[in-house]
Structure formats: structure tokens, C-alpha cells
Amino acid sequence: GLTTSSWNMQPTLEFYGLKNMTIGAWGCYTPNGEYAEVDLYASYSTSHLKISVLDYFSPVPNEQAPNHHLFDFDKKTTGHLVDAVICYTFSRIPVSLTASTILFGNDLNRSGYNRYSTYFEASYSYHISERQKLLLFIGGTPHSSMYYSSANVVNAGLKLTHVADIGSYKLPTSGSIIINPARGNIYFIIGITPF
């Protein structure tokens, strides 16, 4: 995940042309060059189910790192992580369940084998009004993984989204308070989506 003390920009590009399929790219860049990431993904969705495969490419610690080579897929030196994600949203209650496992990449144990880092999350969304939505979530890992050294809750919080009017333009904004109970960290994140 993202580890930086600098503010960052996170552009997204998505293509929806195929039936039930989304193909896209997400990036994260800090102005001081401390962190860079480009993720490519594809997902298939039905009304309640979403299945995704993501390729996180994040050379650590930055773009000048030795593993900053897009086509390096050697498990010992790659800057890639390939993640398989399944998310189910119930029809009668606004609850979603997500499971995610790293299948390949820079997620090795001391013996050089894939740890298959796994993350589970449950979320509840509540529509406050037409313009505001509240999302509550809690997630964790069931074993020692890239998320934590043992089974633990590693992500919990709330996100409030609001669509603000600026003249005739509608500007989606968000604010999140996130804690990592296992590490004792807290984060406050604001987001503005200008397009």
C-alpha cells in the first residue's frame, strides 16, 4: 500500500466499452519523488458480484530504484504484485464483502516462496441524502502477510462522500478517517474528484 508523508495525486483512467467489463489504470505520484505507483486492472461485474485482477507496479522506494523495470517479472526482483479480488454486494442490505489474495510478485517469505497475502473486508453504506453517503468498513488479514505479521484487523474506518455544487458544476468530494488497529496508526484523507 501507499506509504508516503507527502501529499499525492492519484489519476485514474477507465474504459467501459465491453459488456460488464472495466479495464483501467490508477496512478499515485508525489511531487517530491518519494513515491510512484501505476496499477493496471481488469474487472467483470454483475449486479452483485465483481471479480478483479490487478497488477500493482510500485518500485520501492521510488522510480530510481533498481526494480523499476516494467517488464521484470522475476519473482526475486520484480516491482509487481498481482492481486485477485472478489467482492459481493447483497441486494437487500447495503453490505459488501471483499476477499483479496496476492497471487504473484514481490510478496515473498524468507524462503523465497509467495506468502499469498490475503485481506478480507466488510463494508456498510448508508445514503444520508442524494448528495451524501457514509461508508463504514473493517478489514483484516487471516495470517502472517504483507499486511501484518500475524492475523489481525489492519483497516477500519469511515468515509463520507459529498457532491458539492459550484455553480452548475457538481464536484464530488470525500473525507475518510482510517485506523490500523494492529499498528496503532490513524489517517485522515480528503479527496476531490474534479472530473
Side-chain angles (χ1 to χ4, degrees), residues 53-145:
V53 176
L54 302 96
D55 176 10
Y56 307 117
F57 181 58
S58 177
V60 177
N62 57 45
E63 289 185 302
Q64 285 73 44
N67 64 346
H68 187 271
H69 195 286
L70 180 63
F71 301 109
D72 177 4
F73 290 100
D74 183 313
K75 73 177 186 175
K76 294 178 184 174
T77 58
T78 188
H80 292 271
L81 287 169
V82 177
D83 193 8
V85 181
I86 187 166
C87 180
Y88 183 80
T89 302
F90 292 89
S91 58
R92 298 191 185 269
I93 56 173
V95 171
S96 294
L97 301 176
T98 301
S100 164
T101 299
I102 301 295
L103 300 177
F104 170 82
N106 189 15
D107 180 36
L108 307 177
N109 63 22
R110 290 184 180 150
S111 301
Y113 294 104
N114 192 337
R115 292 187 291 183
Y116 296 101
S117 291
T118 300
Y119 175 79
F120 295 113
E121 183 176 281
S123 64
Y124 173 80
S125 64
Y126 176 73
H127 288 270
I128 299 168
S129 68
E130 278 186 30
R131 295 173 181 257
Q132 289 187 328
K133 183 170 100 173
L134 179 66
L135 180 71
L136 303 171
F137 53 89
I138 186 165
T141 185
H143 58 81
S144 175
S145 68

